Amino acid sequence: MTKEEIFDKIADIIADRFESDKATITNEMNLQTDLDADSIDFVEFVLELEDTFGSEISDEDAENCHGRRSRRLRGSAPSKIS
């Protein structure tokens, strides 16, 4: 799976979960400030990522990503997904 394919799947999840226009989702997006995501939203988002990609995101990785750019998640995904 390419980085573009991974980003596309993550963008689909973000668009659906946060009722956002997929065309506005970028690598620079901050889930907390740009989408008003709270801790519960973030946990549900991580669980959906795990289900979608059939991989586990450690609590430590999830904590490091909370409130940071979506690129942070995408950057850690390929080694677990590819």
Side-chain angles (χ1 to χ4, degrees), residues 6 10 13 31 42-66 70 72-81:
I6 293 168
I10 292 172
I13 293 168
L31 297 176
F42 189 77
V43 168
E44 291 173 347
F45 173 66
V46 169
L47 292 173
E48 190 166 350
L49 287 175
E50 290 177 333
D51 288 344
T52 298
F53 292 107
S55 181
E56 185 175 326
I57 298 171
S58 72
D59 291 342
E60 182 180 339
D61 285 343
E63 286 175 20
N64 288 334
C65 295
H66 181 73
S70 60
R72 182 91 164 135
L73 284 173
R74 192 192 86 214
S76 66
S79 63
K80 297 178 181 180
I81 297 167

Side-chain angles (χ1 to χ4, degrees), residues 6-47:
I6 293 168
F7 179 80
D8 191 55
K9 284 188 176 232
I10 292 172
D12 285 338
I13 293 168
I14 291 170
D16 184 53
R17 176 157 298 283
F18 298 100
E19 299 177 356
S20 299
D21 180 0
K22 185 177 174 180
T24 65
I25 298 169
T26 67
N27 286 334
E28 288 73 33
M29 182 171 259
N30 181 299
L31 297 176
Q32 190 174 25
T33 58
D34 296 331
L35 298 174
D36 199 29
D38 61 21
S39 296
I40 293 172
D41 292 327
F42 189 77
V43 168
E44 291 173 347
F45 173 66
V46 169
L47 292 173

